[in-house]
Amino acid sequence: MSIVPLKQILDEAIKGDYGVGAYNVNNMEQIQGIMRAAKETKSPVILQASRGAIIYTNMVYIKYLAAAAVEESPEIPMVLHLDHGNSLQTCKQAIALGFTSVMIDGSLKEDSKTPTTFDENVEVTKSVVEYAHSLGVTVEGELGTLGGIEDGVGSGQVKLTNPDEAVRFIKLTGVDALALAIGTSHGAYKFKAKPTLAMDIISAVAAKVPATPLVMHGSSSVPHELIEIINAYGGKLEKTMGVPIESIQQAIKRGIRKINVDTDGRLAMTGAIRKYLADNPSEFDPRGYFGAAREAVYQSVRGKMIDFGTAGHAGDYKPATLEEYKKIYAGGLK
Ligand code: G3H
Ligand code: 13P
Ligand code: ZN
């Protein structure tokens, strides 16, 4: 059994100076592709489910799909994390399902669109920290807002994180990890040209709170090859650019430890399914195209595990339980 609190995986990543991808999941094939990559590269892994994913899987399926991953890969430290929780209530629901980590995105109001004030963000984040820590569960917060808007998450306005506010936010709320806004956005349409991200913000925060792992959302690289496959087989995606791997590697060097990736998995699956169906027009067994999609997710995530430096670290430490972290939080040790 090695479903662990996110705090353990990220604190270990600080010690080993590497990053860990947090991959959004909604179905069995995504989870299998990611877990195969984790096993083969011996990587700790973060599976994250959005509110949309929890609704799509009717809650109970995400719970048991994650349990299946744990049973099949006991040697892999794995986290089940709520992505962009919008209220204490949503976080409580995820924790009741067995999530070992939650994000409370207090940078936006409960509608996940309207930006909040600093004080409103502190208030909701503190309430989640108090509840989650009493159960040993990790909390990720967010300060600043990402650009872009995808699937109802995001205000469309960019507000880069102010490093001094970030340090104050961490101290006031007790969050275990903090997502910074450094110029990335969710989805496939991030940039028209190679981006310049606000890397100094990472360094400024990490210099003041080196023990707090930092998080980067909107980290898909949107590889040209995947866009080309989709368009070659009937898709219509515009030319676009994501976050280059080198930028993610620089961000890791400066203190980013959790790297959120959803879009690249979506692109990989869509391209594989389009290609499979075009190449096999008489095929109607879903295992054919879902199998191809699973393989594409595996390929994509395997590369990231190597590029982020996660590979090889699964066996570095003994997996911890929520009970152990409950005691740590109760003792005031962070
Ligand atoms: O942050 C947004 C993630 O990409 C999740 O997207 O709400 O469509 O599952 P979703
Ligand atoms: P991408 O859309 O870049 O994959 O970002 C996903 C994300 O940040 C989920 O929280
Ligand atoms: Zn996000």
Side-chain angles (χ1 to χ4, degrees), residues 3 21 24 82 94 127 175 233 242-243 245 260 304 314:
I3 183 157
N24 283 75
L82 171 70
S127 72
V175 277
Y233 293 95
V243 184
I245 289 292
N260 280 24
K304 292 184 195 295

Side-chain angles (χ1 to χ4, degrees), residues 184-185 187-195 197 218-224 240-245 247-248 264:
T184 63
S185 58
Y189 300 105
K190 300 185 195 299
F191 312 108
K192 291 203 159 56
K194 203 168 171 225
L197 300 176
S219 312
S220 280
S221 297
V222 194
H224 279 302
T240 172
M241 282 204 72
V243 184
I245 289 292
S247 303
I248 297 176
D264 282 356

Side-chain angles (χ1 to χ4, degrees), residues 24 26 50 52-53 83-84 151 153 186 262 266:
N24 283 75
N26 299 271
S50 65
D83 190 27
H84 292 284
D151 299 315
V153 178
H186 290 132
D262 186 356
R266 294 177 174 192

Side-chain angles (χ1 to χ4, degrees), residues 265-330:
R266 294 177 174 192
L267 294 171
M269 290 185 96
T270 301
I273 290 174
R274 282 189 176 278
K275 179 171 187 327
Y276 186 90
L277 290 175
D279 289 347
N280 301 275
S282 58
E283 176 70 86
F284 57 88
D285 181 343
R287 289 173 294 192
Y289 49 86
F290 285 143
R294 179 171 62 185
E295 174 71 23
V297 169
Y298 156 72
Q299 294 292 348
S300 163
V301 172
R302 187 177 188 282
K304 292 184 195 295
M305 286 173 166
I306 295 165
D307 292 339
F308 300 168
T310 334
H313 289 288
D316 288 359
Y317 46 95
K318 184 174 160 287
T321 62
L322 291 185
E323 273 309 307
E324 289 170 66
Y325 271 73
K326 201 167 135 176
K327 288 193 192 122
I328 293 174
Y329 290 127

